[in-house]
Each structure stands twice: as structure tokens, then as C-alpha cells.
Amino acid sequence: MRSETIVAVTTPAGVGGIAVVRLSGTEALSIALRHLSVKELSPRKATYCHFGALDDVIAVYYPTGYTGEPTVEISCHGSLYVQQAVVETLVDAGARMAEAGEFTMRAFVNGRMDLSQAEAVADLVDAVTPAQHRLAVSQLRGGYAKVLKELRQQLLDLTSLLELEFDFSQEDVEFADRSQLSRIVDDIGSKISALRSTFHLGNALKRGIPTAIIGRPNAGKSSLLNALLADNRAIVSPIAGTTRDTIEETFNIDGVTFRLIDTAGLHHTDDLLENMGIDRAIAAAVEADIILYVHDATRPWTEAVEDLQALQDAGVKLGDKHLWVVLNKFDLPEAIEASRKLGIAVSSLKGTGLDALRELMLKAVTADVDSASQTLLTNARHYDALGRTNDALLQVAQGLKEGIPSDLLAVDLRDALYHLGTITGEVANNEVLGNIFSRFCVGK
Ligand SMILES: Nc1nc2c(ncn2[C@@H]2O[C@H](COP(=O)(O)OP(=O)(O)OP(=O)(O)O)[C@@H](O)[C@H]2O)c(=O)[nH]1
Ligand SMILES: [Mg+2]
């Protein structure tokens, strides 16, 4: 199969010590050799040579490179001028500028990886924390692809059973026992549901665990935000109602990203703006995985009890979340000592007790990851496709119950297979591919 030869700088845009220019396609070697000071490049060996009169370079030829095609990678000096001149010279020599994500797209088209792995490459390149890196690597290594493959095989087996029955329908033969079919459909459905349910955590790990800081005015919510961030991000003042809007910042504990959301103080007020802020605070609590309820430790404990009840009444499902009461201002002599056993005693002002809080937050997330025990779903496109697969399977299950003929059941099953196949790319149209790969940068 012949393919156009494409070229791009694969190292990040900008000036660097060196830059790598990648050529991929049938003519990669011959195009490169037109400008290199050597007659041949031996496969997979670094060759020091000149690129025209432009630069001293190291060139490596891979008969089958990252893209699954003949590839030449030229390491040149990293000035913008040299990078551009090398690429332009290679374009003049017959290569075409690569489009965004085109190297990885070719790797997919040439069967070097499936679509879910290609997407993991993008995640891997974007990863900034160890947790994001771990997720991307586990998806790239294909544990996830294996799970999908098994599901697909089960669906295929089921379809062939039904189609066999259809072929012999004149003879009134039922090959497949309907209750057995129902069991298989339910089994596949529950596996898909289990995988889908990991998306919430997978996505939170990728983007930051949503953590809402909630409490009464002046409890010290903004002070806690600032103390955890070690930054004067939010305005702090002794005036009740300082924070009106939600304030969001991410921070890391041991490589796990948290999305901290400081909110307006909860209380009864006629102030329109304050009430808008309180609505936002409640919305943040609804969305959050972790709630840090900040209580002023010099105030009676009953205030915390009332607020938590009010949050529950407002639709915040406290039982589904990690909820801690942070007893703030414990540096003050008026702090009620007896309340210590009801929460985590801290002083946002002095910075005490925060290590214990950080440790609890991290432990909660690690426990969630451990109990998920299987591959975590992190990709919204896959989440959506699995949902569609399950919808089609529900139709099959319903049809089986109602005794619908097997040829009609097979139609729904094919639908389920189609949606499952869009994840790994067994079925992929150009629009979907274009969408996925255009999110990459040129050179990836
Ligand atoms: N002594 C002491 N004072 C604190 C502590 N944390 C906050 N304060 C003080 O309490 C007051 C209110 O702090 P904020 O952080 O603005 O309180 P808030 O909960 O964000 O208040 P609103 O934005 O109005 O809802 C400020 O004067 C802070 O300096 C603490 O740990 N110890
Ligand atoms: Mg505040």
C-alpha cells in the first residue's frame, strides 16, 4: 500500500536544544536522502550527517516506525529557523505537511493500535500528574481494549446463534434457548454498566476530584482555600458575606488532582446577590465528590447539624460523598474543646491540622480507586458509546421477553455491536476519526 509521505516537527513548538522532524510514508527514506550527506541510512541506527548546508543532524531510519510506515526522524538544532527550514526543504522534496494527529491516525489505520489506544496517546502526552499518567498508560497497554474485545466476541457469538436460527426458520427449529439468550444478554449488559459506572471516578481523576468548601459566613472557608493552595487566591475579611461567587482552583496531593471550590456562606438573607451565591454553593455541593464543611469551632455545634440537615433537604446526597467537618479557628482560646472529636481541628490562619486533612482527602480517593478494581473509564466518547450499546441491548432483552422473531432481534444486536465497535474503531467513519485526531497537535 502506497501512502503520501508526510512531515512535521514532533517536538513541542518553540525553541529547544534539539528538535525532531519526522517523515513518514512510502518515500520517507528517498526524500530524506536527497538532502542528507550520506548515501544510505541503516535501519534503526543513528547516523551523524549534514542536512544540506543547513545543519549537522542525527538521522534514524525505521522501516516500520510509530506510524507503521517507513519513517525517518531527523534531530536537528532547535532554533525556529532551522526547524522550519528543514521542514520546508523536505516539503519541496516531495513530502506534504502532516495534519494535526496524522501520525497517530496512520498508526491506527495501519493497525498499530486501536482507537481507544490512540486516544490514550493524546492523554499520555497531556498528563501532568502521576495519576493521569497511570490512567493513560493502563489504557495504552490495552487492558481496557481486552475487556472491550471480550464483550464484542460475546455479542458476535450471540448474533451468530440468532442468525443461524433465522436461516433455518422455515423448518421451525429453535437452536437457541430463549432463557439462555436472555441470561447472556443480561450478563453483557451488567458488564457494560459496571464499566460505565467507573467513568465518574475516572473522569474525576483526570480532571480533578470536585471538592466543595461549604459553611456559614465567616467560618473561614476562603481562608481554608488559601491555606490549602498556599496562595492568597480568595479575599478574606471579617465581614460576613465576603465571598459571593464560587472560586475554583486545582491543587495536588501526592500527584492526585483536586478541584477546590470555595463558596458563599450559607445563611438566611434577603440579599439577592448573596442568595444567588448560596444557590451556587448548593449546586457545587451537589456536584462534589468531597465536601469540606467548615465550622467555626468557637460557635455551637448545633449550627453545623442544622446546616448539614439543610444541605440534605436541598438535595445534596451527603451519604454518597466523602464529607468531613473541618473545625476551623482552633487556634483561638474560645474554640470549644469538646467539639474536637466531631471533626478535624485546624487553623487556616496558622496552618495547623492541614496535613491531617490532606491525608484524609488522599486516602478517600485511593480507597475509591482500589474498590473500583477494574479499568477506569476516562473518555466521554467511550462513555457515550457504551450507553448506546446498552440501550440497544435493552431492546434485545425486551424483544426476547416478548418473543420477537430472531431476525428482528439480530437487528438490535447488530446495533449494539456497531456502537461498541466505535470505541476501538472496528467501525469508524471519517467524521468520527477527523473529530478525534483533530484534537491532537500537528506532529503527534
Ligand atoms: N483566629 C482565626 N481566624 C480565622 C481563621 N480562619 C479564618 N479566620 C478569620 O475569620 C474571618 C473570616 O474568614 P474568611 O476566610 O473570609 O471566611 P469565609 O468563610 O470565607 O466567609 P464568607 O466568604 O463571608 O462566607 C477572617 O477575619 C479571617 O481572618 C483561623 O483559623 N483562626
Ligand atoms: Mg469567603
Side-chain angles (χ1 to χ4, degrees):
M1 206 175 72
R2 293 181 66 78
S3 70
E4 258 182 308
T5 299
I6 52 172
V7 64
V9 179
T10 54
T11 35
V15 179
I18 57 167
V20 177
V21 176
R22 180 188 279 153
L23 262 171
S24 172
T26 326
E27 302 299 321
L29 185 59
S30 63
I31 291 175
L33 286 173
R34 235 165 270 170
H35 292 281
L36 296 176
S37 59
V38 288
K39 291 219 163 53
E40 263 313 317
L41 289 175
S42 16
R44 292 176 300 275
K45 288 218 168 61
T47 306
Y48 170 77
C49 51
H50 301 292
F51 187 93
L54 199 63
D55 199 8
D56 296 357
V57 300
I58 303 279
V60 184
Y61 164 55
Y62 303 93
T64 316
Y66 169 74
T67 53
E69 303 171 332
T71 300
V72 176
E73 288 180 0
I74 299 171
S75 306
C76 56
H77 287 95
S79 82
L80 287 180
Y81 171 71
V82 170
Q83 296 183 32
Q84 267 165 23
V86 169
V87 170
E88 277 167 21
T89 310
L90 293 169
V91 167
D92 288 343
R96 161 172 77 68
M97 274 302 297
E99 283 165 25
E102 199 172 1
F103 290 125
T104 308
M105 170 130 102
R106 287 191 175 193
F108 160 69
V109 170
N110 291 322
R112 300 279 288 181
M113 56 180 78
D114 75 25
L115 204 50
S116 70
Q117 288 171 312
E119 288 172 301
V121 171
D123 287 347
L124 189 62
V125 177
D126 288 340
V128 288
T129 70
Q132 291 166 344
H133 180 257
R134 262 197 309 278
L135 281 172
V137 167
S138 83
Q139 217 175 80
L140 196 57
R141 298 241 167 95
Y144 174 58
K146 198 170 144 243
V147 174
L148 294 173
K149 214 177 217 154
E150 280 164 13
L151 285 173
R152 185 176 165 78
Q153 193 53 52
Q154 280 182 295
L155 281 178
L156 278 173
D157 292 347
L158 199 61
T159 314
S160 11
L161 264 179
L162 278 172
E163 283 179 350
L164 196 65
E165 187 183 296
F166 176 56
D167 288 343
F168 288 88
S169 58
Q170 273 85 346
E171 286 145 60
D172 205 22
V173 191
E174 261 199 21
F175 283 86
D177 163 10
R178 293 272 154 136
S179 66
Q180 189 194 344
L181 286 182
S182 285
R183 267 199 305 279
I184 302 177
V185 170
D186 289 348
D187 180 48
I188 303 173
S190 58
K191 276 185 193 154
I192 291 178
S193 300
L195 191 56
R196 275 190 104 222
S197 70
T198 65
F199 178 67
H200 181 79
L201 180 60
N203 197 45
L205 278 176
K206 198 160 139 183
R207 297 178 193 287
I209 314 283
T211 305
I213 304 176
I214 306 282
R216 295 214 171 178
N218 263 349
K221 300 177 297 300
S222 302
S223 303
L224 179 67
L225 174 86
N226 290 347
L228 285 171
L229 295 175
D231 185 16
N232 256 335
R233 172 66 181 81
I235 298 175
V236 164
S237 89
I239 303 164
T242 303
T243 309
R244 297 258 168 129
D245 211 341
T246 48
I247 300 179
E248 205 176 303
E249 284 294 333
T250 56
F251 88 122
N252 274 314
I253 306 175
D254 272 8
V256 175
T257 308
F258 293 83
R259 210 147 50 74
L260 283 178
I261 305 146
D262 179 24
T263 62
L266 303 174
H267 70 128
H268 292 288
T269 167
D270 293 330
D271 185 303
L272 180 70
L273 283 180
E274 258 196 296
N275 273 321
M276 286 168 80
I278 291 169
D279 286 345
R280 288 190 173 200
I282 291 169
V286 168
E287 295 290 317
D289 289 349
I290 297 178
I291 294 181
L292 302 178
Y293 175 83
V294 182
H295 174 69
D296 180 337
T298 65
R299 310 275 315 164
W301 173 253
T302 45
E303 289 185 356
V305 178
E306 281 167 23
D307 285 357
L308 291 175
Q309 186 59 52
L311 281 174
Q312 182 88 27
D313 294 344
V316 184
K317 298 202 178 84
L318 296 177
D320 293 351
K321 301 175 189 292
H322 298 287
L323 166 72
W324 291 294
V325 176
V326 180
L327 304 157
N328 193 33
K329 309 194 186 181
F330 240 87
D331 55 289
L332 293 176
E334 304 93 301
I336 301 166
E337 197 54 38
S339 65
R340 190 184 281 277
K341 58 179 180 299
L342 301 168
I344 306 136
V346 309
S347 165
S348 301
L349 196 66
K350 305 256 191 269
T352 53
L354 296 177
D355 281 342
L357 182 60
R358 285 193 201 95
E359 203 171 306
L360 276 174
M361 290 169 72
L362 185 63
K363 268 202 186 132
V365 175
T366 332
D368 286 350
V369 172
D370 288 348
S371 69
S373 79
Q374 56 172 325
T375 324
L376 293 178
L377 192 61
T378 60
N379 185 303
R381 190 182 72 83
H382 301 183
Y383 178 74
D384 183 54
L386 285 172
R388 287 166 197 262
T389 311
N390 239 358
D391 289 345
L393 274 180
L394 281 177
Q395 295 283 358
V396 179
Q398 186 67 22
L400 278 170
K401 258 197 222 114
E402 291 166 3
I404 279 175
S406 42
D407 53 336
L408 292 179
L409 287 176
V411 171
D412 285 330
L413 260 180
R414 292 246 160 249
D415 209 27
L417 267 169
Y418 171 83
H419 289 299
L420 194 65
T422 59
I423 298 178
T424 46
E426 270 116 355
V427 285
N429 59 42
N430 284 337
E431 193 189 344
V432 172
L433 289 182
N435 236 324
I436 291 169
F437 288 103
S438 63
R439 283 197 209 119
F440 287 65
C441 306
V442 171
K444 280 184 197 159

